[in-house]
Amino acid sequence: MSSTRPAPDPFDGAVDAVVEHSPALMWRSGPDAKHDYVNGTWLRFTGRRLEEEIGDGWIEGIHPDDRAKRLAVEQLHAADGTPFEARYRLRRHDGEYRPVLDRGAPYREDGEVRGFIGFCIDLGERGEADQAARDGFFRAIAHELRTPLQALRMLVEVVRRSAEAGKDPDPLMGNRIDAQFDRLGEMIDQIAETGGRQDPEIRTEPLDLALLLRRLTEGKNELLHVRAARTRHVLRYRGPEHATTVGDRRRLKLAFGSLIDNAVKFSPRGGVVELRLKIDPAEICVQVRDQGIGIPAAEIPHVSRRFFRGSNAPPENFPGPGLGLATARDIVERHGGSLEIQSEVDHGTCVTARLPAEAGRR
Amino acid sequence: MKRILVADDDPAILDALSTLLAPSYEVVAARNGEDLLRELARQRFDLVLLDLRMPLMVGENALAAIQTGGWVIPIIVMSGNRARIEEAMRRGADESLAKPFAFPELEEKIARLIAAPPKPPPAA
């Protein structure tokens, strides 16, 4: 360093302690990315001694596949003196490579970049949980898409065979096939709504919410129609015949459709699923109530998180990527409303969407 | 007429399969594992067509329950998940179908299994 005498330390060594014990893995590099300092947190993380980490030693801890990339980033930013960010895998003391986020900012002496000061944080469990959620999502979506495809193949076969037998087609067959296409369309909307974010804007238009809900109920009933099985769902709508409001038609349909699907899915023994619409001067209230397995009380605050799944609803038994409630909440909130969940294990769940009434009076 | 028990949680698939099988077989439909076992206890079946993903009792557990319950009956498992199909085959399912499959594939497997001589009872 160029200064001759160290300035008196107004913090009496506290700064050193802060740096040494910072929760981040801190480091400083000189020219050519050689480290001349790493803090105690870094050493505890890698389980190595300072002598082993300084100079080029620290590079050994980077996953071999990530080394070149990490060094290139620093070199590139040293040339123009700008801060950088890098993600790579760093070996922990137990030998496991952990995903880290590394940020470096240039420091200068006499106006020249001398190196970087930076810190790493272990993305660890967060990164892994995100990855696991993504993996689970794609697996579930793939599986989910196969179900309507299977149904369509079987329905088409029914049509083909009745034609071959010279029988008149079942007049309801068109509706049943349409219902499967609607279901595929909804899944695609849900994927777009979750992953793509290509179309984030809410497009409001005047709409008859009562009619939308009644049609949705009829469509879903079509899907639930099984003559032979013992387990039955009764889906019904209660509310006014018509209710004019404004909103994003496609998205509201997706939101309430997701809530109905959940209600049916999580009442495997059948039962009544009731969709209620109530119009108050202050708000529009849509309620979806089932007689299903319910949600454990402690988990209710987490249910509208993406990919969430109740401890009483393992994915082997209950298909789906865990997006329904998250999608519904997102859409309702973007309409200025809120979603409320009441539930009791083995008795059922009631999801209430409240939308501002002023939206309806515009 | 031979009797088939079809278990699938998806109403549309269950309904279409029932319609398609009805000309050749007597079909009973179950939407979950509990219904499946209840039906098995009620009457004799010649074959079980079992979706592995079902509420209340997954197909794998239903398969085990059928085996331990002493029912000697051919079982065809269906699933969109190949790993689960392989596992179910290891555990003694007779045939499998990966969703989405074509109906003639199923027809052929059913005909083959039902025509086959009854399998020996499981070792006690």
Side-chain angles (χ1 to χ4, degrees):
Chain A
M1 306 240 175
S2 56
S3 60
T4 47
R5 195 196 305 164
D9 178 3
F11 299 109
D12 194 22
V15 173
D16 285 351
V18 167
V19 173
E20 271 302 291
H21 298 282
S22 145
L25 285 63
M26 300 185 73
W27 53 268
R28 190 176 80 159
S29 65
D32 301 329
K34 290 185 197 299
H35 278 183
D36 56 13
Y37 171 78
V38 296
N39 71 349
T41 310
W42 179 294
L43 296 175
R44 283 188 293 279
F45 180 88
T46 61
R48 300 192 344 147
R49 285 170 295 131
L50 184 63
E51 310 86 85
E52 294 174 299
E53 295 288 353
I54 58 174
D56 289 328
W58 70 281
I59 297 166
E60 290 164 22
I62 302 177
H63 190 283
D65 296 346
D66 299 343
R67 278 177 200 162
K69 194 178 71 184
R70 167 63 181 80
L71 294 175
V73 168
E74 186 164 337
Q75 256 163 19
L76 199 70
H77 286 263
D80 58 10
T82 52
F84 69 83
E85 189 177 294
R87 281 165 197 262
Y88 54 91
R89 288 159 290 178
L90 188 63
R91 195 173 55 214
R92 200 168 56 186
H93 55 83
D94 57 2
E96 192 186 319
Y97 283 100
R98 307 289 292 172
V100 296
L101 170 69
D102 193 355
R103 284 196 166 138
Y107 72 93
R108 291 178 166 81
E109 269 170 28
D110 305 326
E112 270 192 46
V113 175
R114 295 285 173 189
F116 287 85
I117 294 171
F119 69 89
C120 297
I121 51 171
D122 182 356
L123 295 174
E125 272 141 31
R126 206 183 78 194
E128 283 161 18
D130 286 353
Q131 190 58 45
R134 266 195 301 275
D135 291 352
F137 169 71
F138 287 115
R139 245 195 326 271
I141 280 290
H143 200 153
E144 199 76 336
L145 289 168
R146 286 190 189 110
T147 303
L149 285 179
Q150 180 69 58
L152 281 167
R153 280 194 101 158
M154 297 298 106
L155 291 167
V156 167
E157 191 72 26
V158 172
V159 173
R160 181 183 296 134
R161 293 196 176 205
S162 67
E164 279 168 8
K167 280 192 268 177
D168 282 339
D170 181 344
L172 290 175
M173 199 44 91
N175 294 359
R176 292 206 214 150
I177 290 175
D178 267 347
Q180 295 300 326
F181 280 118
D182 282 349
R183 194 173 169 196
L184 274 173
E186 261 176 45
M187 285 179 192
I188 291 164
D189 280 348
Q190 208 173 52
I191 297 170
E193 201 70 20
T194 306
R197 296 267 161 206
Q198 291 156 333
D199 189 17
E201 217 171 291
I202 290 282
R203 285 193 199 85
T204 54
E205 55 178 316
L207 61 91
D208 184 340
L209 188 59
L211 184 64
L212 184 147
L213 295 176
R214 282 192 288 131
R215 288 220 175 117
L216 203 51
T217 313
E218 283 162 23
K220 299 283 179 191
N221 258 327
E222 195 60 57
L223 278 171
L224 287 169
H225 164 94
V226 199
R227 282 163 299 182
R230 179 191 281 265
T231 304
R232 278 163 210 280
H233 288 95
V234 180
L235 189 55
R236 59 178 177 231
Y237 167 77
R238 272 191 173 190
E241 281 284 291
H242 297 281
T244 314
T245 180
V246 297
D248 188 319
R249 184 188 304 275
R250 190 179 64 79
R251 284 205 173 83
L252 286 175
K253 204 174 146 211
L254 178 62
F256 297 123
S258 302
L259 294 180
I260 296 171
D261 288 349
N262 273 352
V264 169
K265 189 195 299 180
F266 295 111
S267 44
R269 291 186 177 82
V272 176
V273 173
E274 198 172 70
L275 193 65
R276 270 191 204 188
L277 171 65
K278 227 173 107 196
I279 311 272
D280 277 347
E283 64 180 15
I284 297 166
C285 176
V286 182
Q287 220 167 42
V288 182
R289 187 186 287 274
D290 67 53
Q291 301 171 322
I293 60 169
I295 305 159
E299 297 174 16
I300 292 178
H302 310 293
V303 289
S304 51
R305 233 170 41 204
R306 286 208 156 78
F307 313 118
F308 176 84
R309 201 164 259 296
S311 57
N312 56 343
E316 302 80 48
N317 302 51
F318 295 93
L323 287 174
L325 210 48
T327 306
R329 188 187 64 167
D330 190 45
I331 292 170
V332 168
E333 284 179 356
R334 283 158 76 193
H335 279 81
S338 65
L339 209 64
E340 195 180 291
I341 296 151
Q342 287 168 308
S343 187
E344 200 183 329
V345 170
D346 292 334
H347 284 85
T349 300
C350 177
V351 181
T352 309
R354 295 177 198 283
L355 295 162
E358 63 266 29
R361 302 243 179 82
R362 249 186 288 170
Chain B
M1 206 183 237
K2 302 269 189 185
R3 196 179 290 143
I4 297 181
L5 178 54
V6 184
D8 194 308
D9 69 325
D10 188 81
I13 294 175
L14 197 57
D15 206 26
L17 282 175
S18 304
T19 307
L20 288 168
L21 292 168
S24 320
Y25 305 99
E26 189 184 332
V27 184
V28 175
R31 278 194 63 190
N32 58 56
E34 284 180 1
D35 282 1
L36 169 104
L37 293 183
R38 204 179 296 126
E39 290 297 341
L40 269 177
R42 252 161 45 107
Q43 52 188 327
R44 217 186 68 78
F45 287 92
D46 297 289
L47 184 130
V48 175
L49 182 57
L50 179 64
D51 182 26
L52 288 180
R53 194 181 58 180
M54 280 190 305
L56 303 179
M57 179 186 284
V58 289
E60 286 90 341
N61 292 348
L63 180 65
I66 295 169
Q67 289 163 341
T68 55
W71 283 291
V72 181
I73 184 169
I75 300 167
I76 302 179
V77 292
M78 318 178 268
S79 176
N81 183 329
R82 283 173 195 277
R84 286 181 73 175
I85 285 181
E86 282 165 24
E87 183 57 30
M89 290 299 285
R90 269 196 294 277
R91 294 190 193 183
D94 296 272
E95 268 295 354
S96 66
L97 286 158
K99 285 184 175 179
F101 56 84
F103 184 70
E105 287 177 57
L106 171 65
E107 260 183 327
E108 190 199 309
K109 293 190 182 203
I110 293 176
R112 188 147 32 84
L113 283 172
I114 283 189
K119 49 179 182 178

